[in-house]
């Protein structure tokens, strides 16, 4: 499998509960390497731009305001098949459906406040990485 990079976000519900290190340990234990990382506080406009693919969904305003409600940790994870592997480690969107031991099973509070984001395909991974990071900030 090819080496890939994917964009991960540790969401405000998780930073608020001081879970950054525990979540990063799950990524690293799965063989994902954190090659860039920073803690930022998005404005509602920045959060809305990031999740614009969901602009027509009924939960969009809630999602945008939640993502701007506190600090997030944005990061680039690298590894073999990193996009799919990260989504495996994250678990299903709704924590009630997430497999035991996944980030969302262990930490998510609800389908909306679900602790992590991960890119879903190579094209979105490239776009999302470029939204937050300059090439020089990625140190593999
Ligand atoms: P993400 O894109 O954050 O990695 P995902 O790909 O598992 O999550 P998506 O369908 O892309 O899920 O939804 C994006 C985000 O929107 C979810 O992670 C969650 O925070 C929020 N969301 C999704 N469905 C709902 C819902 N029914 N009610 C409230 N929020 C929701
Ligand atoms: Mg998604």
């Amino acid at each position: 499998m090819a080496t890939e990079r994917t964009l991960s976000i540790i969401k405000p519900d998780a930073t608020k509960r001081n879970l950054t290190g525990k979540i990063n340990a799950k990524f690293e234990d799965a063989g994902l390497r954190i090659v860039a990382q920073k803690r930022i506080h998005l404005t509602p406009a920045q959060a809305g731009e990031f999740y614009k693919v969901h602009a027509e969904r009924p939960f969009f305003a809630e999602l945008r305001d939640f993502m701007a409600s506190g600090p997030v940790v944005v990061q680039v994870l690298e590894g073999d098949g990193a996009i799919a592997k990260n989504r495996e480690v994250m678990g299903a969107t709704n924590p009630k459906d997430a497999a035991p031991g996944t980030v969302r099973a262990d930490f998510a509070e609800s389908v909306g406040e679900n602790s992590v984001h991960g890119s879903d395909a190579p094209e979105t991974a490239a776009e999302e990485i470029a939204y937050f990071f300059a090439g020089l900030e990625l140190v593999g």
Side-chain angles (χ1 to χ4, degrees), residues 9-73:
I9 305 178
I10 301 178
K11 295 184 179 182
D13 67 284
T15 61
K16 188 165 67 189
R17 287 175 290 145
N18 217 19
L19 292 170
T20 299
K22 287 194 171 119
I23 292 172
N24 279 348
K26 286 189 187 284
F27 295 146
E28 292 184 339
D29 288 349
L32 293 163
R33 182 172 292 273
I34 301 164
V35 299
Q37 175 167 257
K38 59 191 171 192
R39 182 172 167 108
I40 58 177
H41 194 146
L42 294 168
T43 64
Q46 290 167 338
E49 174 66 21
F50 178 75
Y51 272 125
K52 66 183 175 200
V53 61
H54 296 307
E56 304 306 322
R57 309 278 285 274
F59 56 80
F60 176 70
E62 183 190 326
L63 173 61
R64 179 197 58 208
D65 294 347
F66 163 61
M67 291 299 288
S69 69
V72 296
V73 175

Side-chain angles (χ1 to χ4, degrees), residues 73-110:
V73 175
V74 294
Q75 47 192 193
V76 179
L77 307 179
E78 182 181 88
D80 275 356
I83 297 166
K85 185 177 284 180
N86 179 42
R87 289 182 70 86
E88 245 177 73
V89 175
M90 289 162 55
T93 309
N94 188 335
K96 288 185 187 135
D97 303 326
T102 60
V103 173
R104 284 165 168 168
D106 285 0
F107 301 129
E109 301 199 292
S110 65

Side-chain angles (χ1 to χ4, degrees), residues 87-138:
R87 289 182 70 86
E88 245 177 73
V89 175
M90 289 162 55
T93 309
N94 188 335
K96 288 185 187 135
D97 303 326
T102 60
V103 173
R104 284 165 168 168
D106 285 0
F107 301 129
E109 301 199 292
S110 65
V111 67
E113 306 205 359
N114 60 2
S115 302
V116 280
H117 162 83
S119 307
D120 58 13
E123 302 72 33
T124 47
E127 271 173 36
E128 291 176 2
I129 289 169
Y131 188 64
F132 290 111
F133 293 98
L136 284 174
E137 294 179 291
L138 310 180

